Structure formats: C-alpha cells, structure tokens
Amino acid sequence: MRFSHLIGTAILVVAASPAYAEPAAPGITPQEAPVAKPEALVADGIPPVPQSMIAATRPYMEARSAGFSGWNPLDRSMLVSTRFGNTNQIHVVKAPMMARSQISFEAEPLGGSWSPKGDVLLAVKDTGGNEFYQLYTLKDGRLTLLTDGKSRNGFNGWSPDGSIIAYSSTKRNGTDNDLYIMDPRDPKTARMVAEVKGGGWGINAIAHDNKRALVTEYVSVQKSNLYLLDLASGKMSPVGDHSKAVSYGGADFAPDGTLWITSDEDSDFQRLGTLDVATGKFTPRTPEKKWDVDGFDLSDDGKTLVYAVNEAGTDIIKLMDVVSGNVRTVTGIPKGTAGGMQIAPWGTIGLSFNSAKGATDAYSIDPATLAVTRWTQSETGGLNPNINVEPTILEVKSFDGEPVSGLLYKPDPKKFPGKRPLIISVHGGPEGQSTAGFRGRNNYYLNELGVALFYPNVRGSTGFGKRFVSLDNGPFKREDSVKDIGAFLDALNKDSAIDPKKTAITGGSYGGYMCYASAIRYGDRLKAANCVVAISNFVTFLENTQSYRRDLRRVEYGDERDPAQKAKLIEISPMTNVAKLKIPLLVVTGGNDPRVPASEADQIVQAVRAQGGSAWHLLAKNEGHGFAKKENSDYQFWVDLMFWQKNLLGDSAGK
C-alpha cells in the first residue's frame, strides 16, 4: 500500500523558462532594457526589471530538482517529478542516471502515483494554484478525469492490491472532507464510504483484505482521532481514547493485520510503533527517545521498515528488521533532508534527498548492504554546488528563557570579509520547520552578494516536540513567537560577521504574518520586509479562508466568533498596528490563494500607502499559495532582488 499524499502544504516555489526582453527604448542599451513581465503578473508600484539582472542571476535560475514519486512494479522504473518547461511534470527514469523521460505535458504542475499492479498511473492536479485538486488517470500523455472537476479532492492512497484508491472530497457541500473509494479503471465505481463533518479527514491506510481502513481526523498539530472504518457498511469505530491529546502520523497495515503508525502518545516526540486497534494501546518499536520519526514505509511482506528521524532539521535514514528488531543506519548520504520513502516489491528503497550542496534528487538504497545509488543528477545551472555553504545552528534563550534555534548561513569570509548584510527568513505553518536543505536560487545572495541568511525555528515550529509546538497556540500566545525574533536579533547583532545596520526580514504564509509583525515590533532594527502570501488581519483571514480549512485554522490561531478571542486577534493583527510599520514593504500575492486570500494583501498595501509608506505589490493572477510556475517565480526573485538592493544592500552588494 502506498499512502503518499501528493498534495503538499508547504509554499511551492519552483524554477523555469527565461523571460523575454522588451525592445529597448531609444537611448537605452539592450543590457539596460527592462525584462518583459509575465502576462499573469501585476507589478504595482514596482520598477521594471533590468536585463542586466537577468544576465547576473541566470545560472541560479536554472537549477532543477527531481523528487522521487514511486516505483513501477512492472519494469522497475522510477517515477520522478521534475521540470524542463514552466511547471513540474511526471517523468520516468528506467535505471540509475538514465534519461528523465517526460510523460505528462500540462500547463499546471501535477503529481503521479503508480498502482501497486503497475497498470494505472494516477495523477493529481489543480488549476492556477486554487488547490481544488482533481484526480485523473494518465495514459499516452492524456489525462482522464475521475472526479467531478469542481470540488476539492485529496488523494489518500492505493489499497495494497492496487484494486482501489481512497480519497477525500468536498463534493457533498463544499466544506466537509467526506471519504470515498474508487476503482480508477472505472470512475462509476466511486462511492462515499463515510460522511463526516470537518476538513481534516482522510483514509490513512487500507488493510490487505480491503475490508477495513484506518481513518484519521486531524484536529490540530497536537491532536488527531483514529477510527476503524468498515468499507462495506461505512461503520466507523473509534480507536483509542479520543479525550487524550495525541497526535498520529502515517500508518500502514502489515499483511498479518498489524498496524504500524507514528504517535507522540506518552512522549514529547513522534515515535514509530504498533497500535492495537481493539484496545488503542500504542507500543513504540524503534529505539529513539528524542526527535520525531518524520516518515516511514513498510515492505509488502511486512518484514522491513525504513524510517527517517528528524534530528534538529537533518534526516537520519534507518532500516529495521521487524522480526529481530535490529536497526541499521544508512551512512552513504550527506547531511540533509529526505522524503517520499517507498520500498519496492523487490525490496529496494526509493526516496528523495537534498542537502546544502545539492538540490532534491532521487536515490535508492539496497536493503541488504545499505549501499546508496543515485538515480538522477539535476542541473545546477552550470554552477558548482560544492561551493554552497552549510549552515550552523544558532541557539538562544528567548525573552522568557525558552531555548529557540535556527539555521545560519554565512558567506565565505575570504571572499566577503567584514560585517555582512543579513536576511531573516521565517517559515510558514506555523507548524513547519526550517531544515538543512538546498537553498536554490537563494545561494545567489550567499555566493555572489555576500548576504548572510538566517532561518529561525520560533516557538510553534515542529521538530522540537509537542510541548514546543504548542507554545504559540491561540491569540494570547501568538506574539510570543514574534518576541523570539527579538531574541535572535540580539544574538545576531553581536556576531562579528553580521552587520546589525543591514538586517531585513522575509517570510511566507504564517511566516508572512511574522514578517509584518516583526517589521512593526522591530522596525528600528530592520531595514525592509518582504512578506509573501501573508496574513494581515487574523479576523478577516479566518472569515475569508476557504470553508474546508476554517475550523482547523481556528484551533491554531483562535476563534473569531468568541468575543474575547476576536478582540485579541484584532489587537495583534498587523492591520491594527499598520501605523507603526515604517520600513519599506514588498507584498507578494497569489490571486487564487485558497488559504490566505488576496484581500489580505490588498488591505495592508492600501493602508501603508495611505499613511505615506512605501509598499511594492506583486500579484500573480494564475497562482495560489506561492508561485509554482517558473516564469512567475523567476520574476518574483528579480523583484525581491531589486527590493533588497534598493532598501537593504545599497552599495555594499557583492563587496
């Protein structure tokens, strides 16, 4: 069974085709001529991008990645997701380091998953980043629609025998994620197996007899409820004590019915173990006492487990023999992050991996020898990735004594001596984590301009235990995470390699809120703020985010229907404090964003300008929660660079 969720939650930014230059105006040399803006972009208050910037950054814009998406059990080829045009598409790699053969050719990015039989390739795609995903089959370069084309559908996975798929859909009322199964060979077989209330439901695993399924109701990052679903009758029986605050992750049934799952029950971290569905008793089976098990896969025969342990943002890959309990660690991969692990029917393990010195690529692991084989080597724009710097961990005590940490990337001091400008980049979620991976085009700042980059993991980040992730919950704790930025600024300003007079901040989604809030609270210590798909008013955000996710966000941020919480949400919102926002602002927006509506950007840009402040606004009419099309993300990078050159770097860039 392969329950790999193709629909991600993080902001998607991919690389793509070069923009074309507009004809030079009289008296302007071609190198000075502005670059043609992609048709779907609205650059409000933003000067034209000069052609010279394109020439300077070009190699960094042409890096690719190739993410492992699964095995074909018939010919033992790999499925990978990579881009040779404007968007990520599905490709086949027949053997290690062979050609990436493209088999999908859509205007929008899409992901794919082979049936365990190898006879059907399922694909998932939305339109313009709206996240109203539809399910398809892909054959001979053509998509065949399986779902209704209107609702939001989430692919949950295949049954172990490949006869059916499980998925969630808002088809019934546009809000609730009801549960369905279907034989994708015949869309007419689709049927609802559970009518539910809420947007956090999904089928986590199907048993080998195709009679039972494990259902997860995601309530919050700290709590999820499990049910055993009878696929014939639709009866759902609770598993475990739902009054307890326990979080569960991925799950898989062994052929003998044993249920493997990750859980933080009786622990601060996600552990891998077995769950008795009759009693709800969780038994940890792997030796780790600290750090989360981020993901795992179980072999078809139930004898081997592969899993990843997230040690402070670096993934350690381990294999366990289920019978003996013996655990071995894979050592043939560099320090970085892994994902998408899947054990093939013949035992080979496929996965994606990236590090500071290499973009995401597909690899395999021999379960007998632990030898690692690289299957793809993505282009780097001609650049030598070995010169990319690796981060150091900066840990500080925050205002209340709570330890918080982040990843600090410093440019080569031999090439860039003295104090260097710094950009702080805050992750989204807020239940996300900055990890030690490839920095992509942001390596341009490090390697060419000598700009340091800092990626903080403020309180509320995942990867540091369930106590830590709860420290920002609700409106009354929300600003504590903003105060963490102040503690980081104190430490960074004392660093002899950092220029405290040239520090700026950026962030996306929840990190975008942090961007606004930090610009307001620490505007005297920051030069500029670049805030992407960002919450500017918690109340209007909660009122206007898509209905299928509204209650889930209320658990994290607060409930605007409660008078006391609403008052606090208004009090801490950037819009309420916009008069204190004095530094230059760049706002980036997706016109189809279902999470943080474009209206959140519109209102703060208008407010900043109304008080005489500077606010650039870049809107993509064909994007959602982040820019997924290369022509758009390229232009966004160039606008970012112009913004930093004007407001942060000045004449220090590259010196």
Side-chain angles (χ1 to χ4, degrees), residues 91-339:
H91 295 68
V92 170
V93 182
K94 293 185 177 180
M97 302 307 293
M98 289 188 68
R100 293 156 287 176
S101 301
Q102 187 168 338
I103 60 172
S104 71
F105 301 87
E106 300 297 314
E108 302 288 349
L110 74 166
S113 173
W114 276 114
S115 154
K117 295 181 179 180
D119 63 330
V120 176
L121 179 55
L122 190 99
V124 180
K125 181 177 74 69
D126 72 351
T127 301
N130 64 5
E131 298 186 23
F132 277 72
Y133 297 98
Q134 303 302 318
L135 308 186
Y136 304 82
T137 55
L138 174 65
K139 185 177 182 180
D140 299 329
R142 294 183 175 90
L143 294 176
T144 299
L145 182 66
L146 300 177
T147 44
D148 64 1
K150 302 175 184 177
S151 57
R152 184 179 193 270
N153 303 276
F155 174 59
N156 295 163
W158 289 94
S159 62
D161 65 359
S163 63
I164 57 175
I165 60 169
Y167 64 102
S168 60
S169 179
T170 61
K171 179 179 178 179
R172 177 170 56 88
N173 60 11
T175 297
D176 299 316
N177 266 337
D178 298 324
L179 306 179
Y180 292 77
I181 60 173
M182 174 202 299
D183 179 351
R185 302 159 188 86
D186 180 7
K188 293 180 181 179
T189 62
R191 64 182 179 92
M192 184 194 296
V193 290
E195 181 178 310
V196 298
K197 182 173 178 57
W201 294 82
I203 293 178
N204 208 341
I206 296 177
H208 283 248
D209 60 8
N210 280 3
K211 294 180 179 179
R212 302 173 302 152
L214 184 75
V215 169
T216 301
E217 178 196 11
Y218 178 90
V219 178
S220 72
V221 69
Q222 298 168 277
K223 178 175 172 58
S224 44
N225 298 322
L226 299 181
Y227 299 84
L228 197 62
L229 170 65
D230 185 301
L231 291 175
S233 68
K235 179 182 178 181
M236 283 205 300
S237 304
V239 176
D241 184 355
H242 288 190
S243 67
K244 297 172 67 175
V246 178
S247 174
Y248 297 96
D252 209 346
F253 282 103
D256 64 1
T258 301
L259 179 64
W260 289 86
I261 197 167
T262 61
S263 171
D264 65 5
E265 186 168 8
D266 299 325
S267 172
D268 201 31
F269 294 92
Q270 287 280 321
R271 297 179 292 174
L272 177 58
T274 54
L275 185 71
D276 187 323
V277 295
T279 65
K281 177 177 174 57
F282 173 74
T283 303
R285 297 287 298 275
T286 52
E288 294 76 25
K289 303 298 182 185
K290 186 180 180 182
W291 306 119
D292 286 334
V293 173
D294 269 356
F296 76 96
D297 193 39
L298 179 68
S299 62
D300 289 352
D301 61 10
K303 295 180 179 180
T304 304
L305 279 164
V306 59
Y307 63 100
V309 181
N310 176 352
E311 295 188 3
T314 295
D315 284 333
I316 309 300
I317 308 302
K318 300 186 178 186
L319 271 70
M320 186 176 85
D321 180 273
V322 170
V323 176
S324 68
N326 181 50
V327 174
R328 295 173 295 155
T329 300
V330 179
T331 59
I333 46 181
K335 183 178 180 180
T337 58

Side-chain angles (χ1 to χ4, degrees), residues 411-472:
D412 182 353
K414 294 180 180 179
K415 183 176 180 180
F416 301 104
K419 293 180 178 291
R420 305 308 307 168
L422 171 71
I423 298 174
I424 299 171
S425 181
V426 189
H427 67 69
E431 309 99 336
Q433 182 186 10
S434 289
T435 58
F438 188 59
R439 296 274 67 95
R441 58 189 58 183
N442 284 336
N443 282 312
Y444 179 79
Y445 292 106
L446 288 159
N447 297 340
E448 306 295 336
L449 301 182
V451 177
L453 304 175
F454 180 63
Y455 295 82
N457 284 308
V458 297
R459 68 189 65 205
S461 302
T462 52
F464 302 91
K466 63 183 180 183
R467 183 198 67 84
F468 188 80
V469 82
S470 70
L471 294 180
D472 69 340

